[in-house]
Amino acid sequence: MSDVRVRFAPSPTGELHIGGARTALFNYLFAYNTGGKFILRIDDTDLERSRPDYIDKLIASLQWLGLNWHEGPYCQSERLDEYTREAERLVAEKKAFRCYCSIETLSEGRSTARRESKAYLYPGTCRNISPEEEKAYRLEGKTPVIRLLTPDQGITVVNDEIRGEVSFENAGIDDFIILKSNGLPTYNFASIVDDLQMGITHVIRAEEHLSNTPRQQLCADALGYNLPLFAHVPMILAPDRSKLSKRHGATSVEEFYSEGHLPEALINYMALLGWAPGGGEDEEIFTLEEMAARFDLNKVIKTAAIYDVNKLGWMNSHYMRVYDLDKLVEAALPFFEQNKLIKTPLKNQEYEYLKLVIDTVRQRTRTLVELAEASYYFYNDDFTYDEKGVKKHFFKENTVEYMRKAAAKLSNLESFDKDTVERQYSSLSEELGISTGRLIHPTRLALTGRTAGPGLFEIMALLGREKTVERLNKASGYIEQMYA
Ligand code: GLU
C-alpha cells in the first residue's frame, strides 16, 4: 500500500463537465496506478451557487463512469470550523491579520487599477493596526475579513509535475482574503487546508488553477505543513481551439449519457484527452484497469487537448459492438422505453427478442440513441418509406411482380431462419434472371422503410414470416396505388 492520496474536488454548481470528469479520471488512474487512495471532496463553500441536487448528480455521474472513490465524499460546508480554527491560528501567529476595510474604502484603489488596466492589489492597509484601532472598529460594528500576510518581494515557485517550474512574482500577490466577513473561507484557503489536513500527496487538477497555486503554497507555508505535489492537466478545447461550450455539443457527463454513450467509451475517450500512453500508435482502446496500469503523469501533455466528437462516436460504436450483450441491453433499455418501443418490466420472450434486435442493429450504430432509433421497424409497422429509396427501388419496372413473387415464396416456408430465407431469395433471383440486389433493395425498403441497415436476411428472420410477407404485400399495394 502506498501513501499516495489524491482527491477530486468538484464544486456542486452545475453538471459534471467533461473537463471535470477527465480530472477525476486522471486522479483515479494515478491512485490506482500507485496503489494509493482516491478521495472525493465536495467544494461547496460557495453557498449561493452550490446546490444539493448537483452533489447528487455529480455522484451519480462519477458512479456511472465507474470512478469509485476510496474515501468521502467530504463536504467543505461541514468543515467550516476547521478553516476558522486554522485562520485564527495564523492570526495568532501573526501570519495573517484582520482587515476592517470596507468595500468603499478599497473601491478607490480598485477603480484606479481598472483605469490603468492593472490587477487590483490590496494595499496592506490593516497590516499593522493596533489592538485599540481594532477595538474601535468592532465598536463601530465592522466585521473583519482575515487576510494572509504575504511577502512583498521575491518569487514563489510552483514545481509542477507536468509543467516543471513555474515562477510567480510575490509582488503580484497581495494579502489575499482567506476568511470572508461572513466566516466562510475563500477557495484558495479551504482547498489547501483540506489538502494538507487530508494528507493529499498530489493535487492533480485543471490548468486554470495553476495561477491559484502560489497563493495556496503561501498558505501552506504559513500553516507549517509540507506541500503536496501539484500537477495541472491541460485544458480541453473545441476543434477551433475556442473554449469548449454548449455550441460544440454535449459537454457534461449527463449529456453524454443522454446522447447514448457508454461509460467505458467516454472514459476511454477522455483518458486520451491529454494522456499519451505511448506504445503502439493505433493502440487506443483501453479498459479502465489497463489505463490504470499504464498511467503516468509524465505522459500527460502540456498543450491543450482538442475535443473531437467524431472520435468519441467512433469509440462508442466500437464499445457498442464488443459490449457484453446483456449489459448493452440493460444500458439500452431506457432509450428503447423512451422511444416507446418497449415497456418495462419485460417478459422473458420480449427480453430475448430485444436482445436479438440489439445484437443485429448494434453493428452499425454509434450511440444508444441511434440504436433505439434504428430499431423502430422491429416494433412498429407504421413507418414511411424513404423518399429517395422509393424513386430508386420501388418505381422500377417489375418491382411489384418481384415483391409479390417473393412474398408468395416466403409465405410457404416452414422455418424462417436467416439461411432459409436467403436461399429462397437466391433461387428466386435465379428464376427471374435478375441480380439478388434487384430483390434485396426494394425488400429492405418494404420491410424497414430505409435504404440501409443490418443484413436483410437477419432482419427478415427477426420479423418472422407473417410480418415479412405482410410488409412485402403492403409495399406492392403502395407501389400499385402510386402508379395508378
Ligand atoms: N472546486 C474546484 C473546482 O471545481 C477545485 C479545484 C481544485 O482541485 O483545487 O474547480
Side-chain angles (χ1 to χ4, degrees):
M1 196 82 230
S2 83
D3 59 2
V4 164
R5 288 170 64 80
V6 294
R7 87 308 193 266
F8 174 53
S11 304
T13 53
E15 292 175 355
L16 181 57
H17 187 265
I18 183 168
R22 200 258 329 242
T23 300
L25 172 62
F26 282 9
N27 275 285
Y28 174 99
L29 295 177
F30 186 72
Y32 280 79
N33 178 271
T34 52
K37 289 254 161 24
F38 174 48
I39 291 151
L40 176 61
R41 188 173 83 214
I42 307 290
D43 283 2
D44 59 349
T45 51
D46 185 341
L47 299 183
E48 265 163 39
R49 293 177 58 222
S50 298
R51 283 188 6 206
D53 55 319
Y54 281 136
I55 300 183
D56 298 341
K57 285 182 174 198
L58 280 169
I59 287 179
S61 290
L62 289 172
Q63 284 171 335
W64 178 71
L65 288 169
L67 299 179
N68 302 322
W69 50 95
H70 297 105
E71 273 179 41
Y74 299 114
C75 286
Q76 290 194 323
S77 59
E78 287 165 18
R79 294 176 38 79
L80 298 180
D81 289 350
E82 284 307 319
Y83 313 125
T84 310
R85 199 172 57 79
E86 293 284 37
E88 290 295 347
R89 177 164 71 84
L90 293 182
V91 174
E93 292 173 6
K94 306 230 175 309
K95 292 172 182 166
F97 60 92
R98 281 185 229 286
C99 167
Y100 292 85
C101 295
S102 62
I103 294 176
E104 295 77 49
T105 325
L106 300 176
S107 66
E108 199 180 316
R110 277 218 170 85
S111 344
T112 314
R114 206 168 317 140
R115 261 200 313 280
E116 295 172 4
S117 308
K118 285 189 189 148
Y120 168 75
L121 295 176
Y122 169 76
T125 322
C126 293
R127 266 187 178 183
N128 296 308
I129 51 170
S130 64
E132 291 71 36
E133 280 172 295
E134 275 217 35
K135 206 167 161 195
Y137 286 139
R138 288 201 181 253
L139 284 175
E140 283 173 35
K142 286 186 176 165
T143 41
V145 298
I146 296 182
R147 291 180 183 271
L148 189 76
L149 188 60
T150 60
D152 296 331
Q153 284 157 9
I155 53 169
T156 297
V157 179
V158 174
N159 216 329
D160 191 90
E161 296 291 292
I162 296 169
R163 272 141 229 285
E165 282 187 5
V166 190
S167 299
F168 295 85
E169 295 282 342
N170 289 335
I173 302 174
D174 62 0
D175 295 338
F176 55 93
I177 297 175
I178 56 174
L179 209 67
K180 297 186 259 188
S181 58
N182 59 7
L184 293 174
T186 52
Y187 155 70
N188 278 323
F189 190 62
S191 181
I192 193 70
V193 166
D194 283 348
D195 291 339
L196 299 172
Q197 289 192 356
M198 293 176 184
I200 300 301
T201 55
H202 297 73
V203 172
I204 304 168
R205 63 183 170 197
E207 184 183 346
E208 64 189 20
H209 290 293
L210 180 61
S211 58
N212 290 320
T213 310
R215 288 180 176 75
Q216 297 181 7
Q217 289 193 180
L218 290 171
C219 289
D221 288 345
L223 290 162
Y225 285 91
N226 286 336
L227 277 183
L229 295 170
F230 290 94
H232 288 91
V233 300
M235 310 253 291
I236 302 175
L237 296 180
D240 62 359
R241 303 195 78 83
S242 64
K243 195 169 174 254
L244 196 57
S245 70
K246 290 262 178 261
R247 75 192 159 90
H248 302 109
T251 52
S252 75
V253 173
E254 271 186 65
E255 286 169 325
F256 285 111
Y257 165 82
S258 309
E259 285 189 347
H261 291 95
L262 295 169
E264 289 81 353
L266 188 55
I267 283 278
N268 193 159
Y269 176 69
M270 287 194 302
L272 299 179
L273 285 174
W275 173 51
E281 286 246 317
D282 20 285
E283 211 185 344
E284 291 192 298
I285 301 292
F286 302 99
T287 63
L288 196 54
E289 292 72 28
E290 285 163 352
M291 289 189 275
R294 292 172 65 160
F295 189 75
D296 183 348
L297 283 176
N298 287 325
K299 298 235 170 82
V300 175
I301 56 168
K302 292 191 190 69
T303 47
I306 304 295
Y307 170 71
D308 176 357
V309 72
N310 290 322
K311 177 108 180 247
L312 173 61
W314 169 80
M315 228 168 226
N316 205 63
S317 64
H318 166 81
Y319 278 93
M320 299 250 304
R321 282 195 303 275
V322 301
Y323 227 51
D324 171 80
L325 186 53
D326 282 301
K327 231 173 111 183
L328 187 63
V329 172
E330 197 188 314
L333 279 179
F335 296 89
F336 277 69
E337 195 151 28
Q338 217 168 298
N339 282 16
K340 302 205 164 42
L341 303 183
I342 58 164
K343 213 169 165 223
T344 53
L346 297 182
K347 294 195 194 82
N348 243 349
Q349 211 186 342
E350 292 169 333
Y351 181 83
E352 291 306 321
Y353 183 69
L354 176 63
K355 217 166 136 174
L356 291 171
V357 167
I358 288 182
D359 203 22
T360 304
V361 178
R362 70 164 154 176
Q363 303 301 334
R364 285 156 186 268
T365 47
R366 285 158 65 107
T367 63
L368 298 172
V369 167
E370 279 183 25
L371 186 77
E373 199 272 329
S375 301
Y376 186 83
Y377 54 82
F378 283 110
Y379 290 92
N380 295 288
D381 298 315
D382 66 349
F383 53 82
T384 51
Y385 302 119
D386 175 85
E387 254 178 63
K388 277 197 192 135
V390 167
K391 284 197 193 109
K392 203 160 159 207
H393 305 303
F394 277 181
F395 293 168
K396 240 185 190 171
E397 236 178 301
N398 305 331
T399 301
V400 173
E401 180 203 332
Y402 299 159
M403 299 279 95
R404 294 263 187 233
K405 287 203 163 131
K409 217 171 172 64
L410 298 176
S411 59
N412 296 324
L413 289 181
E414 287 281 312
S415 80
F416 209 76
D417 58 89
K418 172 176 166 284
D419 293 339
T420 312
V421 286
E422 186 165 4
R423 272 199 302 277
Q424 297 302 313
Y425 261 54
S426 301
S427 71
L428 182 61
S429 68
E430 259 173 51
E431 279 165 34
L432 295 170
I434 55 173
S435 69
T436 36
R438 185 65 189 90
L439 280 180
I440 284 176
H441 295 308
T443 302
R444 176 184 295 285
L445 192 60
L447 299 185
T448 69
R450 304 169 193 219
T451 53
L456 179 68
F457 303 115
E458 285 164 52
I459 296 177
M460 287 169 128
L462 266 177
L463 287 174
R465 194 181 60 195
E466 251 143 73
K467 265 204 189 320
T468 302
V469 170
E470 198 182 288
R471 287 186 189 179
L472 282 171
N473 287 332
K474 186 173 164 190
S476 302
Y478 169 85
I479 303 170
E480 279 166 348
Q481 204 187 356
M482 296 297 281
Y483 263 129

